[in-house]
Amino acid sequence: MSTPNKDIEKVEVRLKWDPSPHGAPPHDLDIIAATYLAEAPYGSPAYLVHFDSRSPDGTITLNRDSRTGQGFGFDEVMTLELNRLSTAYTRVVVGVAIQQRDGHKTFAGIESTAVQVREGYTNLSEDDFTAVGGATAATVAEFVRGTSGVWEFHGTVRGFDGDPDSFAATMGSRTPGM
């Protein structure tokens, strides 16, 4: 049976923040996407996409990466082509992690943070991380493939406390990390 509902096909996750004050270590925020197989939608990720990587099939790519937040507009952009993602994957979780190499940093300590999830010119969600200011990482989007094959979007921001590695391992769990 066909349906007149449009599927979410291709989305962008866009992230921006202000650079650290002069003389302070740079703020480095990273977008991370985790894919989950149908048989383990809340288990360990099948694979991760982040800086210096892309999905094996090229459906999830980090188009722009910043280590400082310097620039105009959105400093990091990740594209997810959900319409091309294998049917073996039924869930994709996208998050933002703050690198912790220069001491403990939280969203509250970084000025002008913002994240957008867009499909074309339509904003599916926007957030500034205020609700998770004490967190070092947060999920920002969840895409779930329904039984009909149509992708659904869930835009709840959920905070975590930990380094980027521990966040990447647990970001798709059912239990909040913070």
Side-chain angles (χ1 to χ4, degrees):
M1 178 176 153
S2 67
T3 175
N5 293 327
K6 288 188 175 181
D7 192 4
I8 294 174
E9 295 181 351
K10 183 177 180 180
V11 296
E12 278 188 350
V13 178
R14 301 161 22 127
L15 177 66
K16 69 178 178 177
W17 67 96
D18 281 351
S20 60
H22 182 69
H27 300 311
D28 186 1
L29 284 68
D30 291 310
I31 301 172
I32 301 170
T35 59
Y36 298 87
L37 293 166
E39 54 271 359
Y42 294 94
S44 296
Y47 64 83
L48 297 171
V49 178
H50 49 78
F51 62 93
D52 294 334
S53 73
R54 66 178 213 141
S55 63
D57 59 3
T59 58
I60 303 173
T61 56
L62 185 64
N63 305 348
R64 193 177 316 153
D65 180 31
S66 174
R67 295 179 182 240
T68 63
Q70 293 176 318
F72 298 106
F74 289 91
D75 303 302
E76 292 214 3
V77 178
M78 180 178 279
T79 301
L80 296 91
E81 295 181 68
L82 299 171
N83 60 324
R84 291 185 44 231
L85 194 61
S86 167
T87 57
Y89 304 103
T90 57
R91 189 166 172 254
V92 178
V93 177
V94 181
V96 174
I98 304 168
Q99 292 294 328
Q100 300 294 314
R101 65 183 158 268
D102 295 315
H104 189 75
K105 294 181 181 181
T106 64
F107 288 111
I110 300 173
E111 296 291 322
S112 302
T113 55
V115 63
Q116 284 183 340
V117 180
R118 297 173 56 94
E119 182 178 31
Y121 294 107
T122 303
N123 283 344
L124 300 176
S125 72
E126 292 182 87
D127 198 90
D128 63 2
F129 300 104
T130 301
V132 293
T136 59
T139 58
V140 297
E142 177 185 35
F143 300 94
V144 179
R145 191 188 316 250
T147 55
S148 67
V150 174
W151 286 96
E152 298 174 15
F153 169 72
H154 305 279
T156 304
V157 175
R158 189 174 81 170
F160 289 77
D161 191 24
D163 62 43
D165 287 335
S166 63
F167 170 64
T170 61
M171 64 190 269
S173 68
R174 290 181 189 246
T175 307
M178 182 172 162

